[in-house]
Amino acid sequence: MMSLINTERYDFTDIIEDADKKLILIIYDIIDNKRRTKMVKLLESYGTRVQKSAFEALVNKGQYVKIIDGVKKVISNEDNVRIYRLNSSNEVLLLGESYSVYEEEFIIV
């Protein structure tokens, strides 16, 4: 029987340890279109959109603080934003129809 689910794993442990960065996941539920657009612009400057209301970013401590400060300036009390710092294994499991945002780049000169 053939599986209909595409499964991929990404292990960020080596990348994060070498660069002193942490992988974070930011998810949000923002009611107002204007605030939502501001949030997208903020998060696009740090990471990659992986779903409609979810971003992943590989950031250092200073960038992490700037993201939090930026989010606080954008949201209101009726919004919901969650920021997860992924520690220890730093593994991401992708299930379903997905695309790789972490493929290696090859530059030929």
Side-chain angles (χ1 to χ4, degrees):
M1 182 174 212
M2 190 159 106
S3 174
L4 299 177
I5 297 177
N6 178 24
T7 303
E8 297 179 53
R9 286 184 189 268
Y10 296 96
D11 185 357
F12 296 95
T13 305
D14 294 336
I15 296 169
I16 292 170
E17 287 174 0
D18 291 343
D20 193 32
K21 293 186 175 187
K22 294 202 182 291
L23 179 65
I24 61 171
L25 171 65
I26 305 110
I27 58 174
Y28 57 87
D29 185 11
I30 297 177
I31 296 168
D32 181 70
N33 287 335
K34 187 175 179 180
R35 288 195 311 272
R36 189 169 41 254
T37 300
K38 286 182 181 180
M39 179 66 71
V40 169
K41 287 181 181 180
L42 169 71
L43 298 178
E44 282 178 336
S45 67
Y46 290 97
T48 303
R49 189 178 218 160
V50 292
Q51 289 191 6
K52 193 164 183 112
S53 298
F55 280 79
E56 288 178 352
L58 194 58
V59 297
N60 62 33
K61 189 174 183 176
Q63 292 169 320
Y64 180 71
V65 170
K66 287 180 182 179
I67 289 172
I68 293 171
D69 289 343
V71 168
K72 287 178 180 178
K73 291 176 184 174
V74 170
I75 66 171
S76 77
N77 288 339
E78 61 190 3
D79 300 324
N80 184 334
V81 177
R82 293 174 180 249
I83 302 174
Y84 296 92
R85 290 188 304 176
L86 306 177
N87 297 313
S88 64
S89 72
N90 299 308
E91 181 179 277
V92 176
L93 176 63
L94 303 174
L95 301 170
E97 189 63 33
S98 63
Y99 61 93
S100 176
V101 294
Y102 299 104
E103 291 181 14
E104 294 181 33
E105 278 188 26
F106 294 99
I107 301 172
I108 300 173
V109 179

